Amino acid sequence: MSSDFEGYEQDFAVLTAEITSKISRVPRLPPDEKKQMVANVEKQLEEAKELLEQMDLEVREIPPQSRGMYSNRMRSYKQEMGKLETDFKRSRIAYSDEVRNELLGDDGNSSENQRAHLLDNTERLERSSRRLEAGYQIAVETEQIGQEMLENLNHDREKIQRARERLRETDANLGKSSRILTGMLRR
């Protein structure tokens, strides 16, 4: 199950990277290519939404004790998707502004500002992705340490139970010996 989820995660990461790259290129393209690029990005955003739905279905099939980690990751991916959609809307607005500016003869200063803003947002997204990956690694390591601790505690519990049983047997034998000695003293 989790291998399907991880496969979807990889597909989502590749797709979002492509979308981010295309969004940043939209303002710099000639008008005909811009239309094609916008249509292409819209199609890829729909694919990303479908991947998120598949990932959400996979998370629902995961046992409840493991579901928390995957739910957190899903929340992060949904936020990332929202950010991509916002960036795409801004890019389309920049594209509209650029077309308007070309028609009116204005300079393209606002599109440069939006491009810089988009690049800044892309860098933030990459930093967030790295932090998420580091957090995931820590969670996996913590889970492994917890598993080892549980195994050690179980082993110690078994030792204590064996020691108790031996103590009970020794106590029973001591009681028996005491009765025999008492009987021998009476004779």
Side-chain angles (χ1 to χ4, degrees), residues 45-62:
L45 283 171
E46 286 300 318
E47 288 176 24
K49 286 179 187 175
E50 289 175 12
L51 274 173
L52 278 178
E53 290 175 4
Q54 290 296 326
M55 290 164 65
D56 200 28
L57 290 174
E58 287 295 325
V59 167
R60 291 179 187 170
E61 293 179 9
I62 293 174

PDB file of all heavy atoms in Angstrom, residues 45-62:
ATOM      1  N   LEU A  45      -2.239  20.563 -14.151  1.00  0.00           N
ATOM      2  CA  LEU A  45      -2.840  20.825 -12.842  1.00  0.00           C
ATOM      3  C   LEU A  45      -3.979  19.834 -12.577  1.00  0.00           C
ATOM      4  O   LEU A  45      -4.145  19.358 -11.452  1.00  0.00           O
ATOM      5  CB  LEU A  45      -3.344  22.269 -12.749  1.00  0.00           C
ATOM      6  CG  LEU A  45      -2.275  23.334 -12.526  1.00  0.00           C
ATOM      7  CD1 LEU A  45      -2.862  24.730 -12.673  1.00  0.00           C
ATOM      8  CD2 LEU A  45      -1.632  23.179 -11.151  1.00  0.00           C
ATOM      9  N   GLU A  46      -4.739  19.515 -13.611  1.00  0.00           N
ATOM     10  CA  GLU A  46      -5.807  18.523 -13.454  1.00  0.00           C
ATOM     11  C   GLU A  46      -5.220  17.149 -13.130  1.00  0.00           C
ATOM     12  O   GLU A  46      -5.735  16.418 -12.286  1.00  0.00           O
ATOM     13  CB  GLU A  46      -6.662  18.453 -14.731  1.00  0.00           C
ATOM     14  CG  GLU A  46      -7.589  19.623 -14.925  1.00  0.00           C
ATOM     15  CD  GLU A  46      -8.578  19.766 -13.775  1.00  0.00           C
ATOM     16  OE1 GLU A  46      -9.129  18.758 -13.288  1.00  0.00           O
ATOM     17  OE2 GLU A  46      -8.783  20.906 -13.345  1.00  0.00           O
ATOM     18  N   GLU A  47      -4.119  16.794 -13.798  1.00  0.00           N
ATOM     19  CA  GLU A  47      -3.444  15.524 -13.510  1.00  0.00           C
ATOM     20  C   GLU A  47      -2.950  15.491 -12.063  1.00  0.00           C
ATOM     21  O   GLU A  47      -3.071  14.466 -11.384  1.00  0.00           O
ATOM     22  CB  GLU A  47      -2.257  15.322 -14.457  1.00  0.00           C
ATOM     23  CG  GLU A  47      -2.652  15.009 -15.884  1.00  0.00           C
ATOM     24  CD  GLU A  47      -1.426  14.905 -16.802  1.00  0.00           C
ATOM     25  OE1 GLU A  47      -0.325  14.619 -16.302  1.00  0.00           O
ATOM     26  OE2 GLU A  47      -1.595  15.104 -18.003  1.00  0.00           O
ATOM     27  N   ALA A  48      -2.412  16.609 -11.602  1.00  0.00           N
ATOM     28  CA  ALA A  48      -1.915  16.681 -10.223  1.00  0.00           C
ATOM     29  C   ALA A  48      -3.068  16.513  -9.239  1.00  0.00           C
ATOM     30  O   ALA A  48      -2.925  15.834  -8.211  1.00  0.00           O
ATOM     31  CB  ALA A  48      -1.199  18.010  -9.993  1.00  0.00           C
ATOM     32  N   LYS A  49      -4.220  17.113  -9.542  1.00  0.00           N
ATOM     33  CA  LYS A  49      -5.395  16.948  -8.676  1.00  0.00           C
ATOM     34  C   LYS A  49      -5.823  15.483  -8.629  1.00  0.00           C
ATOM     35  O   LYS A  49      -6.174  14.961  -7.563  1.00  0.00           O
ATOM     36  CB  LYS A  49      -6.555  17.805  -9.178  1.00  0.00           C
ATOM     37  CG  LYS A  49      -6.379  19.280  -8.908  1.00  0.00           C
ATOM     38  CD  LYS A  49      -7.559  20.067  -9.452  1.00  0.00           C
ATOM     39  CE  LYS A  49      -7.328  21.552  -9.343  1.00  0.00           C
ATOM     40  NZ  LYS A  49      -8.410  22.330  -9.959  1.00  0.00           N
ATOM     41  N   GLU A  50      -5.790  14.812  -9.774  1.00  0.00           N
ATOM     42  CA  GLU A  50      -6.147  13.386  -9.810  1.00  0.00           C
ATOM     43  C   GLU A  50      -5.155  12.558  -8.992  1.00  0.00           C
ATOM     44  O   GLU A  50      -5.552  11.630  -8.283  1.00  0.00           O
ATOM     45  CB  GLU A  50      -6.190  12.892 -11.256  1.00  0.00           C
ATOM     46  CG  GLU A  50      -7.365  13.433 -12.042  1.00  0.00           C
ATOM     47  CD  GLU A  50      -7.338  13.037 -13.517  1.00  0.00           C
ATOM     48  OE1 GLU A  50      -6.545  12.154 -13.902  1.00  0.00           O
ATOM     49  OE2 GLU A  50      -8.106  13.618 -14.275  1.00  0.00           O
ATOM     50  N   LEU A  51      -3.874  12.892  -9.088  1.00  0.00           N
ATOM     51  CA  LEU A  51      -2.872  12.189  -8.272  1.00  0.00           C
ATOM     52  C   LEU A  51      -3.140  12.383  -6.784  1.00  0.00           C
ATOM     53  O   LEU A  51      -3.035  11.447  -5.992  1.00  0.00           O
ATOM     54  CB  LEU A  51      -1.465  12.685  -8.605  1.00  0.00           C
ATOM     55  CG  LEU A  51      -0.767  12.018  -9.779  1.00  0.00           C
ATOM     56  CD1 LEU A  51       0.545  12.727 -10.083  1.00  0.00           C
ATOM     57  CD2 LEU A  51      -0.503  10.561  -9.496  1.00  0.00           C
ATOM     58  N   LEU A  52      -3.505  13.602  -6.401  1.00  0.00           N
ATOM     59  CA  LEU A  52      -3.827  13.870  -4.997  1.00  0.00           C
ATOM     60  C   LEU A  52      -5.022  13.028  -4.547  1.00  0.00           C
ATOM     61  O   LEU A  52      -5.036  12.508  -3.430  1.00  0.00           O
ATOM     62  CB  LEU A  52      -4.127  15.354  -4.789  1.00  0.00           C
ATOM     63  CG  LEU A  52      -2.936  16.270  -4.633  1.00  0.00           C
ATOM     64  CD1 LEU A  52      -3.383  17.712  -4.479  1.00  0.00           C
ATOM     65  CD2 LEU A  52      -2.077  15.870  -3.459  1.00  0.00           C
ATOM     66  N   GLU A  53      -6.010  12.887  -5.422  1.00  0.00           N
ATOM     67  CA  GLU A  53      -7.172  12.052  -5.083  1.00  0.00           C
ATOM     68  C   GLU A  53      -6.756  10.597  -4.905  1.00  0.00           C
ATOM     69  O   GLU A  53      -7.207   9.925  -3.971  1.00  0.00           O
ATOM     70  CB  GLU A  53      -8.244  12.179  -6.162  1.00  0.00           C
ATOM     71  CG  GLU A  53      -8.923  13.526  -6.192  1.00  0.00           C
ATOM     72  CD  GLU A  53      -9.900  13.688  -7.352  1.00  0.00           C
ATOM     73  OE1 GLU A  53     -10.116  12.703  -8.102  1.00  0.00           O
ATOM     74  OE2 GLU A  53     -10.431  14.775  -7.514  1.00  0.00           O
ATOM     75  N   GLN A  54      -5.887  10.103  -5.785  1.00  0.00           N
ATOM     76  CA  GLN A  54      -5.400   8.721  -5.660  1.00  0.00           C
ATOM     77  C   GLN A  54      -4.624   8.536  -4.357  1.00  0.00           C
ATOM     78  O   GLN A  54      -4.778   7.539  -3.659  1.00  0.00           O
ATOM     79  CB  GLN A  54      -4.503   8.358  -6.851  1.00  0.00           C
ATOM     80  CG  GLN A  54      -5.236   8.208  -8.160  1.00  0.00           C
ATOM     81  CD  GLN A  54      -6.216   7.049  -8.136  1.00  0.00           C
ATOM     82  OE1 GLN A  54      -5.982   6.033  -7.505  1.00  0.00           O
ATOM     83  NE2 GLN A  54      -7.339   7.223  -8.790  1.00  0.00           N
ATOM     84  N   MET A  55      -3.784   9.530  -4.037  1.00  0.00           N
ATOM     85  CA  MET A  55      -2.999   9.460  -2.801  1.00  0.00           C
ATOM     86  C   MET A  55      -3.929   9.478  -1.588  1.00  0.00           C
ATOM     87  O   MET A  55      -3.712   8.743  -0.613  1.00  0.00           O
ATOM     88  CB  MET A  55      -2.008  10.628  -2.744  1.00  0.00           C
ATOM     89  CG  MET A  55      -0.894  10.493  -3.769  1.00  0.00           C
ATOM     90  SD  MET A  55       0.027  12.028  -4.071  1.00  0.00           S
ATOM     91  CE  MET A  55       0.808  12.301  -2.512  1.00  0.00           C
ATOM     92  N   ASP A  56      -4.976  10.286  -1.660  1.00  0.00           N
ATOM     93  CA  ASP A  56      -5.942  10.375  -0.564  1.00  0.00           C
ATOM     94  C   ASP A  56      -6.642   9.026  -0.363  1.00  0.00           C
ATOM     95  O   ASP A  56      -6.845   8.574   0.771  1.00  0.00           O
ATOM     96  CB  ASP A  56      -6.953  11.475  -0.862  1.00  0.00           C
ATOM     97  CG  ASP A  56      -7.666  11.952   0.373  1.00  0.00           C
ATOM     98  OD1 ASP A  56      -7.087  11.869   1.481  1.00  0.00           O
ATOM     99  OD2 ASP A  56      -8.816  12.399   0.256  1.00  0.00           O
ATOM    100  N   LEU A  57      -6.977   8.359  -1.466  1.00  0.00           N
ATOM    101  CA  LEU A  57      -7.598   7.030  -1.374  1.00  0.00           C
ATOM    102  C   LEU A  57      -6.629   6.027  -0.737  1.00  0.00           C
ATOM    103  O   LEU A  57      -7.039   5.185   0.073  1.00  0.00           O
ATOM    104  CB  LEU A  57      -8.028   6.544  -2.762  1.00  0.00           C
ATOM    105  CG  LEU A  57      -9.215   7.277  -3.395  1.00  0.00           C
ATOM    106  CD1 LEU A  57      -9.438   6.797  -4.824  1.00  0.00           C
ATOM    107  CD2 LEU A  57     -10.474   7.070  -2.563  1.00  0.00           C
ATOM    108  N   GLU A  58      -5.350   6.110  -1.104  1.00  0.00           N
ATOM    109  CA  GLU A  58      -4.351   5.209  -0.528  1.00  0.00           C
ATOM    110  C   GLU A  58      -4.214   5.432   0.972  1.00  0.00           C
ATOM    111  O   GLU A  58      -4.087   4.484   1.745  1.00  0.00           O
ATOM    112  CB  GLU A  58      -2.992   5.396  -1.207  1.00  0.00           C
ATOM    113  CG  GLU A  58      -2.896   4.851  -2.605  1.00  0.00           C
ATOM    114  CD  GLU A  58      -3.028   3.334  -2.668  1.00  0.00           C
ATOM    115  OE1 GLU A  58      -2.568   2.645  -1.753  1.00  0.00           O
ATOM    116  OE2 GLU A  58      -3.623   2.854  -3.644  1.00  0.00           O
ATOM    117  N   VAL A  59      -4.259   6.696   1.392  1.00  0.00           N
ATOM    118  CA  VAL A  59      -4.125   7.012   2.820  1.00  0.00           C
ATOM    119  C   VAL A  59      -5.295   6.424   3.594  1.00  0.00           C
ATOM    120  O   VAL A  59      -5.132   5.924   4.711  1.00  0.00           O
ATOM    121  CB  VAL A  59      -4.034   8.548   3.033  1.00  0.00           C
ATOM    122  CG1 VAL A  59      -4.205   8.919   4.491  1.00  0.00           C
ATOM    123  CG2 VAL A  59      -2.704   9.056   2.530  1.00  0.00           C
ATOM    124  N   ARG A  60      -6.472   6.443   2.999  1.00  0.00           N
ATOM    125  CA  ARG A  60      -7.659   5.893   3.685  1.00  0.00           C
ATOM    126  C   ARG A  60      -7.563   4.384   3.882  1.00  0.00           C
ATOM    127  O   ARG A  60      -8.184   3.847   4.782  1.00  0.00           O
ATOM    128  CB  ARG A  60      -8.918   6.227   2.895  1.00  0.00           C
ATOM    129  CG  ARG A  60      -9.241   7.702   2.938  1.00  0.00           C
ATOM    130  CD  ARG A  60     -10.462   8.023   2.149  1.00  0.00           C
ATOM    131  NE  ARG A  60     -10.642   9.469   2.073  1.00  0.00           N
ATOM    132  CZ  ARG A  60     -11.509  10.055   1.292  1.00  0.00           C
ATOM    133  NH1 ARG A  60     -12.297   9.339   0.523  1.00  0.00           N
ATOM    134  NH2 ARG A  60     -11.597  11.359   1.282  1.00  0.00           N
ATOM    135  N   GLU A  61      -6.770   3.709   3.052  1.00  0.00           N
ATOM    136  CA  GLU A  61      -6.617   2.261   3.170  1.00  0.00           C
ATOM    137  C   GLU A  61      -5.502   1.852   4.127  1.00  0.00           C
ATOM    138  O   GLU A  61      -5.376   0.688   4.461  1.00  0.00           O
ATOM    139  CB  GLU A  61      -6.357   1.662   1.785  1.00  0.00           C
ATOM    140  CG  GLU A  61      -7.536   1.779   0.854  1.00  0.00           C
ATOM    141  CD  GLU A  61      -7.251   1.201  -0.525  1.00  0.00           C
ATOM    142  OE1 GLU A  61      -6.211   0.558  -0.713  1.00  0.00           O
ATOM    143  OE2 GLU A  61      -8.067   1.408  -1.409  1.00  0.00           O
ATOM    144  N   ILE A  62      -4.712   2.805   4.558  1.00  0.00           N
ATOM    145  CA  ILE A  62      -3.596   2.518   5.469  1.00  0.00           C
ATOM    146  C   ILE A  62      -4.158   2.307   6.874  1.00  0.00           C
ATOM    147  O   ILE A  62      -5.090   2.997   7.282  1.00  0.00           O
ATOM    148  CB  ILE A  62      -2.574   3.684   5.444  1.00  0.00           C
ATOM    149  CG1 ILE A  62      -1.914   3.733   4.061  1.00  0.00           C
ATOM    150  CG2 ILE A  62      -1.529   3.536   6.534  1.00  0.00           C
ATOM    151  CD1 ILE A  62      -0.991   4.905   3.853  1.00  0.00           C
TER     152      ILE A  62
END
